[in-house]
C-alpha cells in the first residue's frame, strides 16, 4: 500500500514538473506583456506593478500585425488544404492497391519525415522556380514538408476502412473520383481533422521557413513580426511578449475548437468488424 | 432478367491458379448456389461475374453479351456483401438510393424507388437511420434493398447470411427465397453452408479447389452424387463412409456385413456411402453392430454417434429409439438399396443392390 502511494506521488510530481516546463514560459510571456518597458527588461516572474494594456495596441499598430495575421492565416490555411487533400488521395491509392512499386513510393515519401531539411538545396530550388520570397512559394514549401507525415497518418487510417465499401461503391456505379470524394473522403473525416489541425498549428508556429525564404516584411507571418520589437539596438521585451501572446492566441483557439473532432469514429457500424 | 454463361473461365494470380477452365450456364430467372469449402474459389468466381475480379482466360456472358471488360454497372448486376458494406456516413435512405444517384436520376424518382424497395423489405421506419443504429438483420435488409432498388439483371450474394446469428439466418433465408419468387430475377448465391444451398437453390454448383465437382438440383445432388466429395458435402449430418472390398457379386464391409449387388466392380478397395437416415432398426437387411458413443437428441429426431467393430465412425438417425445410452451395443440394419458405392479414388461406381 505504501509502495503504491509512493508510486502515485512520484507520478504526480513528474506530471507537475512536466506541466511547469510547459506553463512557465507562457506565464512569463503573459505577465511581461502587461509591464512597462523598464520593468519587462528583466523578464522576471513577478506581476506587473502597473498594467499596460496599451502594449497590445502598440504592437498591432507598430508591428503591422494585421497584415502578418492575414499572412499567417493564408499560409496555414492554404498549405493545410493542399496537404490534406493531396495526402488523402496519395494515401488512399498507396494503401489500397499495393504493388511493389507503390510500396517503394510510400516508403520514399515517408522518408521525408526523417530527413533533415537543411541538407537540401532548397534555396536553389526556390530561386530556380522563382518561388523565393513569394506567398505561393512558402505555401508550396509548407505543403511539401507536411505531406510525408500526413500521408503516413492517413495511410494507417485507410486500412481500417473495409475494402468492401469500395467494391460496393463500384458496383453502385462509382468512378474513381466519385468513389474517393463521396465514399472515402467522408469516412476519413476524423483523421483529416487531426491532420489538418496538426498541419495548421505547425505552419502557424513555424519561424524558420519565413526567416529563410521571405525577405520582404510585407509577406511576414506573425511569428516573424516579433523582429519589429527585437533587434540589435532595441529590445522591448514587453512588446515582444505582447506580440508572442497575440501570435499564440489563434493556436490555442484552433486547438480548443479542433480537439473534439480528433476522435469521432465515423466508420463504426457500416461493416461488421 | 438475364442468363449467365461462363465459358472456359479461369483465374490465376501469377502462377497460382484459383479457377481452372470452368464452364457453367445459369438459366434466366434461376437461383444458382455456389457451394464448397473455404478457398474453393466460389467467391472469386462470383466476383469475376460481378466485375470486381479480372478474368484471366475465357468469357463471362451475361444476357448474350460478353462482359469481360465491362464495369460492374454495365453488366447489370447488383451485389450483396457478406459484411453488408453499407456506407456508414449515409442514412439508410441514402444508402439505398446511392446507385440511382450515381445513375443521375432526379430526386423524386430516387425517392419513389427507394420507398418501393423499402416497402418490399419492410424497412420504411429505418430510412432516416444510419447503419450504426441498425441490428445485423436490419443491415442485411438494407444491403438487399440497395441491390433491388436498381432492378438488376442478376443478383449476386456473397455469403450474405454468415454474419447473422442462427435464428436470424433461417428467417432471412426464407425471405431471400420469397424475394426470388417475387422478383423472378436471376440470382447467384455463394455460401459454404450446404443447408442454405439445399434450401434456396434451383441449381447447386459444388466446387472444390477451383473446379466444379458437380452441378445439379438439390435433390439430384443428394440422391445421385458423382463422387465422394459431393456425397460428403451435401447432406447434414453428413453421409457415412465405410471401407469395403468387392467379393463375387457382393460387397464385404470391413465393419461386418456383406451387401449383395448387381454388377461387378473392378476395383480392389472401395467405399460404401450411406446416409444416417438410411438405417433401420430391426428388419431383415444386413446388420451392423455399433457401440454408441453419443446420442444427440434434437427433439424431433435423434442422432446416434457410434463406432463400428472396424473402428469407423458412424452416424445413425434413431428417430424412435429412445432407450439407447452411450456405451450400448446396438444392431442397426442397413438399407442396401440406398447405399452408394465409390472407388477409393472417390469416383462413384454405378452399382445397385441386387433385387
Amino acid at each position: 500500500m505504501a509502495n503504491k502511494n509512493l508510486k502515485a506521488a512520484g507520478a504526480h510530481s513528474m506530471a507537475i514538473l512536466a506541466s511547469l516546463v510547459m506553463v512557465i514560459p507562457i506565464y512569463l510571456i503573459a505577465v511581461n506583456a502587461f509591464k512597462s518597458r523598464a520593468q519587462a527588461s528583466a523578464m522576471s516572474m513577478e506581476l506587473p506593478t502597473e498594467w499596460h494594456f496599451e502594449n497590445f495596441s502598440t504592437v498591432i499598430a507598430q508591428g503591422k500585425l494585421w497584415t502578418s495575421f492575414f499572412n499567417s492565416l493564408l499560409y496555414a490555411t492554404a498549405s493545410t488544404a493542399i496537404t490534406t487533400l493531396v495526402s488523402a488521395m496519395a494515401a488512399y491509392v498507396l494503401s489500397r492497391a499495393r504493388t511493389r512499386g507503390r510500396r517503394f513510393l510510400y516508403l520514399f515519401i515517408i522518408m521525408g519525415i526523417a530527413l533533415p531539411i537543411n541538407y537540401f538545396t532548397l534555396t536553389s530550388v526556390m530561386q530556380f522556380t522563382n518561388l523565393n520570397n513569394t506567398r505561393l512559394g512558402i505555401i508550396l514549401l509548407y505543403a511539401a514538408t507536411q505531406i510525408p507525415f500526413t500521408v503516413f497518418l492517413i495511410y494507417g487510417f485507410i486500412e481500417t476502412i473495409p475494402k468492401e465499401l469500395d467494391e460496393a461503391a463500384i458496383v453502385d456505379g462509382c468512378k474513381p473520383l466519385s468513389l474517393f470524394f463521396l465514399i472515402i473522403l467522408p469516412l476519413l473525416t476524423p483523421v483529416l481533422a487531426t491532420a489538418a489541425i496538426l498541419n495548421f498549428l505547425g505552419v502557424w508556429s513555424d519561424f524558420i521557413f519565413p526567416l529563410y525564404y521571405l525577405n520582404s516584411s510585407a509577406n511576414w507571418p506573425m511569428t516573424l513580426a516579433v523582429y519589429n520589437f527585437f533587434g540589435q539596438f532595441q529590445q522591448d521585451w514587453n512588446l515582444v511578449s505582447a506580440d508572442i501572446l497575440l501570435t499564440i492566441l489563434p493556436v490555442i483557439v484552433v486547438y480548443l475548437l479542433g480537439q473534439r473532432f480528433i476522435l469521432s469514429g465515423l466508420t463504426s457500424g457500416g461493416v461488421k468488424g | 432478367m438475364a442468363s449467365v454463361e461462363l465459358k472456359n473461365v479461369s483465374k490465376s494470380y501469377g502462377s497460382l491458379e484459383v479457377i481452372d477452365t470452368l464452364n457453367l450456364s445459369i438459366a434466366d430467372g434461376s437461383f444458382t448456389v455456389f457451394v464448397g469449402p473455404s478457398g474453393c474459389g466460389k467467391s472469386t468466381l462470383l466476383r469475376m461475374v460481378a466485375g470486381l475480379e479480372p478474368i484471366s482466360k475465357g468469357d463471362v456472358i451475361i444476357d448474350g453479351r460478353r462482359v469481360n471488360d465491362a464495369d460492374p454497372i454495365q453488366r447489370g448486376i447488383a451485389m450483396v456483401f457478406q459484411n453488408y458494406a453499407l456506407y456508414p456516413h449515409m442514412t439508410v435512405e441514402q444508402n439505398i438510393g446511392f446507385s440511382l444517384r450515381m445513375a443521375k436520376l432526379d430526386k423524386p424518382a430516387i425517392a419513389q424507388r427507394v420507398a418501393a424497395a423499402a416497402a418490399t423489405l419492410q424497412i420504411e421506419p429505418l430510412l432516416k437511420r444510419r447503419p450504426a443504429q441498425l441490428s445485423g438483420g436490419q443491415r442485411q435488409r438494407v444491403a438487399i434493398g440497395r441491390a433491388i432498388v436498381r432492378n438488376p439483371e442478376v443478383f449476386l450474394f456473397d455469403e450474405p447470411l454468415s454474419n447473422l446469428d442462427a435464428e436470424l439466418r433461417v428467417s432471412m433465408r426464407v425471405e431471400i427465397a420469397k424475394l426470388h419468387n417475387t422478383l423472378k430475377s436471376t440470382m447467384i448465391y455463394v455460401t459454404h453452408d450446404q443447408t442454405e444451398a439445399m434450401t434456396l437453390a434451383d441449381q447447386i454448383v459444388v466446387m472444390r479447389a477451383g473446379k466444379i465437382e458437380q452441378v445439379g438440383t438439390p435433390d439430384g445432388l443428394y440422391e445421385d452424387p458423382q463422387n465422394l466429395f459431393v456425397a460428403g458435402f451435401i447432406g447434414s449430418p453428413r453421409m457415412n463412409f465405410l471401407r469395403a472390398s468387392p467379393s463375387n457379386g457382393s460387397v464385404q464391409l470391413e465393419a461386418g456385413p456383406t451387401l449383395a449387388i448387381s454388377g461387378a466392380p473392378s476395383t480392389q478397395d472401395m467405399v460404401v456411402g450411406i446416409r444416417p437416415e438410411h438405417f433401420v432398426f430391426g428388419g431383415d437387411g444386413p446388420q451392423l453392430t455399433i457401440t454408441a458413443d453419443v446420442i444427440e437428441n434434437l427433439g424431433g429426431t435423434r442422432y446416434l454417434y457410434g463406432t463400428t467393430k472396424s473402428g469407423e465412425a458412424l452416424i445413425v438417425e434413431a428417430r424412435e429409439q429412445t432407450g439407447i445410452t452411450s456405451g450400448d451395443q446396438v444392431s442397426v440394419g442397413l438399407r442396401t438399396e440406398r447405399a452408394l458405392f465409390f472407388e477409393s479414388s472417390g469416383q462413384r461406381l454405378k452399382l445397385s443392390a441386387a433385387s
Side-chain angles (χ1 to χ4, degrees):
Chain A
M1 198 65 192
N3 193 14
K4 215 175 188 181
N5 280 339
L6 210 64
K7 265 188 190 165
H12 272 102
S13 38
M14 285 307 288
I16 289 167
L17 202 67
S19 307
L20 284 180
V21 171
M22 309 296 290
V23 167
I24 287 175
I26 296 178
Y27 171 80
L28 265 183
I29 295 297
V31 292
N32 283 289
F34 294 97
K35 291 177 185 173
S36 66
R37 185 174 177 222
Q39 202 193 353
S41 63
M43 271 309 259
S44 64
M45 306 266 286
E46 68 194 12
L47 289 173
T49 43
E50 43 188 321
W51 294 77
H52 290 271
F53 292 99
E54 78 281 0
N55 284 348
F56 290 94
S57 48
T58 313
V59 162
I60 291 170
Q62 281 188 14
K64 299 182 208 105
L65 268 201
W66 280 113
T67 317
S68 302
F69 173 78
F70 284 114
N71 282 336
S72 281
L73 197 65
L74 175 72
Y75 303 155
T77 314
S79 64
T80 297
I82 296 172
T83 303
T84 314
L85 184 66
V86 169
S87 302
M89 289 175 132
Y92 175 59
V93 172
L94 293 172
S95 169
R96 273 296 193 256
R98 294 199 188 171
T99 59
R100 205 174 276 249
R102 292 207 185 90
R103 182 80 193 150
F104 171 78
L105 204 58
Y106 172 64
L107 292 175
F108 182 75
I109 290 172
I110 63 169
M111 202 160 66
I113 300 171
L115 293 180
I117 199 147
N118 302 357
Y119 288 7
F120 293 87
T121 55
L122 261 184
T123 310
S124 308
V125 174
M126 296 290 278
Q127 278 165 350
F128 180 75
T129 49
N130 288 325
L131 288 171
N132 214 357
N133 197 22
T134 63
R135 291 196 164 104
L136 179 65
I138 199 91
I139 289 170
L140 291 180
L141 193 57
Y142 276 129
T145 51
Q146 307 267 21
I147 281 173
F149 178 72
T150 311
V151 167
F152 171 71
L153 195 69
I154 300 175
Y155 186 89
F157 193 86
I158 283 174
E159 288 171 1
T160 67
I161 299 178
K163 266 190 176 168
E164 282 85 352
L165 283 182
D166 302 39
E167 294 178 342
I170 291 169
V171 168
D172 274 347
C174 275
K175 298 272 178 258
L177 280 182
S178 49
L179 167 63
F180 180 76
F181 282 105
L182 297 178
I183 305 296
I184 301 301
L185 206 57
L187 296 177
L188 292 178
T189 312
V191 73
L192 293 185
T194 313
I197 291 165
L198 292 178
N199 286 335
F200 188 93
L201 299 183
V203 173
W204 191 282
S205 317
D206 184 53
F207 180 78
I208 297 293
F209 278 178
L211 187 66
Y212 289 175
Y213 300 107
L214 294 176
N215 303 329
S216 90
S217 65
N219 289 342
W220 278 3
M222 284 185 92
T223 42
L224 275 198
V226 75
Y227 270 113
N228 289 314
F229 316 105
F230 183 87
Q232 206 173 348
F233 307 108
Q234 165 211 22
Q235 290 172 358
D236 297 326
W237 282 110
N238 56 339
L239 298 183
V240 167
S241 298
D243 176 271
I244 291 175
L245 206 58
L246 288 174
T247 305
I248 64 174
L249 212 59
V251 172
I252 292 169
V253 170
V254 167
Y255 175 75
L256 291 180
L257 286 179
Q259 63 163 357
R260 69 193 170 96
F261 288 108
I262 295 180
L263 297 167
S264 43
L266 245 179
T267 46
S268 62
V271 168
K272 190 163 176 174
Chain B
M1 285 197 279
S3 61
V4 177
E5 195 95 26
L6 305 178
K7 282 190 179 158
N8 298 319
V9 166
S10 66
K11 171 77 191 174
S12 41
Y13 297 105
S15 60
L16 179 72
E17 194 155 65
V18 287
I19 303 277
D20 180 21
T21 327
L22 183 149
N23 285 287
L24 181 69
S25 67
I26 292 167
D28 187 4
S30 75
F31 199 121
T32 297
V33 175
F34 296 168
V35 68
S38 51
C40 72
K42 56 191 189 299
S43 279
T44 308
L45 192 61
L46 188 81
R47 293 163 55 83
M48 286 160 79
V49 175
L52 292 171
E53 203 76 61
I55 296 153
S56 304
K57 273 188 212 139
D59 292 323
V60 171
I61 293 157
I62 296 179
D63 201 16
R65 203 161 49 92
R66 182 179 177 275
V67 294
N68 284 33
D69 306 313
D71 289 336
I73 195 75
Q74 298 164 329
R75 300 184 184 203
I77 56 105
M79 188 155 169
V80 177
F81 293 85
Q82 176 177 359
N83 54 13
Y84 325 127
L86 301 178
Y87 312 123
H89 58 299
M90 297 186 193
T91 63
V92 167
E93 193 172 19
Q94 291 167 330
N95 262 286
I96 296 177
F98 186 70
S99 63
L100 305 177
R101 195 175 136 205
M102 288 294 99
K104 306 226 170 9
L105 263 70
D106 56 15
K107 278 196 174 140
I110 294 177
Q112 191 196 339
R113 283 172 67 174
V114 169
T120 310
L121 295 162
Q122 293 157 4
I123 50 174
E124 290 115 317
L126 310 177
L127 283 178
K128 299 291 175 204
R129 296 208 203 156
R130 281 176 200 272
Q133 299 164 305
L134 304 177
S135 69
Q138 289 170 332
R139 284 180 204 175
Q140 195 52 273
R141 267 169 215 270
V142 175
I144 293 173
R146 199 165 58 175
I148 66 176
V149 78
R150 285 165 41 188
N151 300 324
E153 309 270 358
V154 182
F155 281 93
L156 307 176
F157 294 91
D158 191 2
E159 309 212 14
L161 305 183
S162 35
N163 276 350
L164 302 177
D165 59 56
E167 204 173 321
L168 206 53
R169 205 176 301 162
V170 175
S171 64
M172 282 305 287
R173 201 167 75 199
V174 174
E175 289 206 29
I176 290 175
K178 278 188 196 159
L179 195 68
H180 181 240
N181 288 341
T182 326
L183 301 175
K184 308 220 181 304
S185 312
T186 312
M187 294 189 176
I188 306 178
Y189 188 105
V190 164
T191 180
H192 58 262
D193 179 353
Q194 63 88 30
T195 317
E196 276 173 29
M198 290 294 284
T199 49
L200 286 170
D202 300 323
Q203 171 176 258
I204 298 181
V205 178
V206 182
M207 293 183 64
R208 179 172 60 160
K211 288 195 171 93
I212 293 181
E213 292 285 330
Q214 192 173 353
V215 180
T217 61
D219 279 342
L221 293 186
Y222 192 79
E223 300 294 340
D224 195 15
Q226 280 167 12
N227 55 43
L228 266 179
F229 177 77
V230 176
F233 197 81
I234 300 291
S236 171
R238 68 197 297 263
M239 186 183 272
N240 296 297
F241 295 119
L242 298 167
R243 291 189 297 272
S245 50
S247 66
N248 284 341
S250 62
V251 172
Q252 170 75 46
L253 291 180
E254 263 181 46
T258 313
L259 311 180
I261 52 161
S262 63
S266 53
T267 168
Q268 279 308 303
D269 296 314
M270 55 190 287
V271 175
V272 173
I274 181 128
R275 295 200 183 274
E277 63 269 34
H278 294 150
F279 290 95
V280 282
F281 285 84
D284 52 4
Q287 298 291 313
L288 259 172
T289 309
I290 57 173
T291 311
D293 297 325
V294 174
I295 290 87
E296 219 176 50
N297 186 358
L298 302 181
T301 187
R302 64 192 71 227
Y303 290 101
L304 165 58
Y305 290 76
T307 316
T308 64
K309 279 191 290 187
S310 53
E312 290 162 294
L314 200 72
I315 309 170
V316 175
E317 188 180 13
R319 192 178 285 266
E320 310 293 342
Q321 280 61 40
T322 50
I324 306 168
T325 53
S326 71
D328 286 1
Q329 293 267 333
V330 189
S331 177
V332 292
L334 196 153
R335 289 169 61 188
T336 315
E337 79 279 7
R338 301 307 297 265
L340 303 175
F341 303 92
F342 302 90
E343 288 178 22
S344 53
S345 68
Q347 275 308 306
R348 172 91 176 272
L349 289 165
K350 292 289 182 184
L351 305 176
S352 56
S355 46

